[in-house]
Amino acid sequence: MKKLRYFALSMLAALSLAASAQTTTPNPVTLTLDIHECYVHETMTTTDETAYYYVSYLEKEIFDEKGYNDDETLASEDKKWFEEMAKGYQMDVKGVVQSFGFKGDAAEYQAGLLPDREYVIWYHGVDKEGNTTTEIKRLPFRTKPVQTISNRIKLKAQKTNDGGIFVTCEPDDKNLYYTFGSIAKSNMFDEFTHEELTIRDYMQTGISNQIYDYLASEEFGEWFKKNANQGDFSLKFDELVAGEEYYIVAAYVDNEAGICSEIATVEIDGEGNPTGINSVKNNTTLVADGVYTLDGTRVGTTLGDVQRGAYIVKFNGRTHKVVKK
């Protein structure tokens, strides 16, 4: 299995412009993409069956920030990447080139992607020392957006006597696949950029990373059998860390493992208590048909009209229980 470049980049220090082989030799590789929601399939053909070449990708925003549209910068950083990998794996650079590069016609999946996001794939020849030997080609692309559905999943949660949380999922369509699990709030950041992630991006990133092995083994359907659910499902979460806050989450996934519905959530406070279903933060603007107390008394039009607490919100013909914090 090839290790994705995206992960390795997080180990690198500041850019180094140390000399590396620069050449105007034409790139013998042609790369085509089959683009999906959270992965792409690359097909590479080459007119030089004897030479190694390297293929990698990054989110376009990060690619641009690092200055990788400049050939010298990108070639130097790729060489440094091969050297860092050699140190990490305690092998010589030649072995890394052979392990992570390609020779001849080849195909590869790149997973770990988010739907409707821009990325850049680049590829070039490489010698046994990790030097770039051909012109660098760049191929920007955008993953496909998810087509959302109106189906919903209902969550019920209660604290057990031993401090766990017993949660039941009730999907409105028992035949559709959905993902279900818990998220520690302290983990909801990008481990590479350290930026805070939304619940959707955190969930989708986890799913997208999971599917690589199934894609590579041409058994993508097995991911759904082993990692998704159908029909009503209950689970006890009994390994909650004291003081940690959690989300219990559930959402439908489509046939490409993209999250395609609203995300049902239960928030768990630091003492292990469920504090609300589909909670709304205090600074969230919500234009609603009406806000009601739990006994049905109308107390306002939006959450901005009320103090902290639990309420019933009627919005777009639907009714939600929410918690204003």
Side-chain angles (χ1 to χ4, degrees):
M1 182 200 312
K2 288 175 78 273
K3 187 180 182 70
L4 299 182
R5 167 58 181 258
Y6 185 79
F7 298 102
L9 278 171
S10 65
M11 300 185 293
L12 300 182
L15 292 178
S16 169
L17 298 181
S20 59
Q22 296 293 303
T23 178
T24 56
T25 303
N27 192 325
V29 179
T30 298
L31 187 149
T32 57
L33 296 178
D34 180 17
I35 301 172
H36 297 263
E37 293 169 5
C38 46
Y39 66 92
V40 297
H41 187 239
E42 307 162 350
T43 302
M44 289 81 74
T45 57
T46 178
T47 56
D48 185 348
E49 298 287 335
T50 66
Y52 280 99
Y53 58 93
Y54 178 63
V55 182
S56 191
Y57 83 96
L58 270 176
E59 290 187 36
K60 185 178 186 300
E61 182 178 356
I62 300 175
F63 185 91
D64 292 341
E65 287 177 355
K66 289 184 174 291
Y68 287 171
N69 286 301
D70 177 76
D71 284 354
E72 183 179 4
T73 299
L74 186 52
S76 178
E77 192 70 357
D78 279 351
K79 178 178 174 63
K80 185 176 181 180
W81 181 81
F82 282 112
E83 293 171 347
E84 291 287 339
M85 291 295 286
K87 291 179 182 178
Y89 280 92
Q90 298 183 334
M91 58 196 299
D92 58 23
V93 173
K94 180 180 178 181
V96 176
V97 170
Q98 293 173 338
S99 298
F100 293 91
F102 297 94
K103 181 187 284 189
D105 295 346
E108 169 71 347
Y109 284 98
Q110 301 285 16
L113 311 182
L114 295 175
D116 201 21
R117 298 291 178 91
E118 289 185 295
Y119 297 87
V120 178
I121 284 179
W122 70 94
Y123 53 103
H124 55 79
V126 62
D127 65 18
K128 64 181 181 179
E129 301 300 324
N131 296 304
T132 298
T133 59
T134 71
E135 64 178 340
I136 300 173
K137 290 187 177 181
R138 300 167 177 83
L139 183 60
F141 69 96
R142 179 182 285 274
T143 49
K144 291 183 177 180
V146 173
Q147 299 300 310
T148 58
I149 60 177
S150 60
N151 296 82
R152 300 291 181 265
I153 299 171
K154 182 178 181 180
L155 294 180
K156 297 179 180 179
Q158 66 181 57
K159 189 174 183 179
T160 59
N161 292 332
D162 59 0
I165 301 292
F166 186 78
V167 182
T168 298
C169 292
E170 297 179 358
D172 58 8
D173 189 321
K174 310 303 183 186
N175 297 311
L176 297 178
Y177 281 108
Y178 63 92
T179 183
F180 170 56
S182 64
I183 301 172
K185 291 186 180 181
S186 62
N187 291 337
M188 289 179 56
F189 62 89
D190 189 303
E191 63 181 301
F192 310 110
T193 66
H194 301 292
E195 294 180 356
E196 185 176 349
L197 293 176
T198 64
I199 294 178
R200 183 176 295 272
D201 282 357
Y202 185 85
M203 291 174 64
Q204 186 65 72
T205 298
I207 293 171
S208 300
N209 288 334
Q210 275 185 340
I211 66 177
Y212 176 83
D213 288 344
Y214 296 93
L215 290 167
S217 63
E218 303 296 334
E219 295 180 332
F220 186 41
E222 291 298 308
W223 179 86
F224 295 90
K225 296 178 182 178
K226 295 180 179 180
N227 297 281
N229 299 292
Q230 287 177 297
D232 293 349
F233 182 76
S234 296
L235 182 65
K236 180 186 174 187
F237 295 89
D238 56 7
E239 296 183 358
L240 304 180
V241 177
E244 178 68 83
E245 296 182 341
Y246 293 85
Y247 287 112
I248 306 297
V249 295
Y252 287 107
V253 291
D254 62 18
N255 60 5
E256 292 191 356
I259 296 174
C260 61
S261 72
E262 287 188 0
I263 299 171
T265 63
V266 176
E267 290 195 66
I268 309 298
D269 66 18
E271 297 179 354
N273 301 305
T275 60
I277 308 293
N278 293 322
S279 304
V280 177
K281 300 294 185 185
N282 189 38
N283 61 357
T284 299
T285 300
L286 179 62
V287 178
D289 301 322
V291 179
Y292 303 78
T293 61
L294 297 184
D295 63 5
T297 303
R298 193 178 194 278
V299 289
T301 302
T302 73
L303 288 179
D305 299 332
V306 297
Q307 301 299 314
R308 296 181 180 182
Y311 298 92
I312 299 296
V313 174
K314 295 183 179 180
F315 177 61
N316 284 348
R318 295 176 54 215
T319 299
H320 307 265
K321 178 182 177 183
V322 300
V323 174
K324 179 176 178 180
K325 294 186 172 181

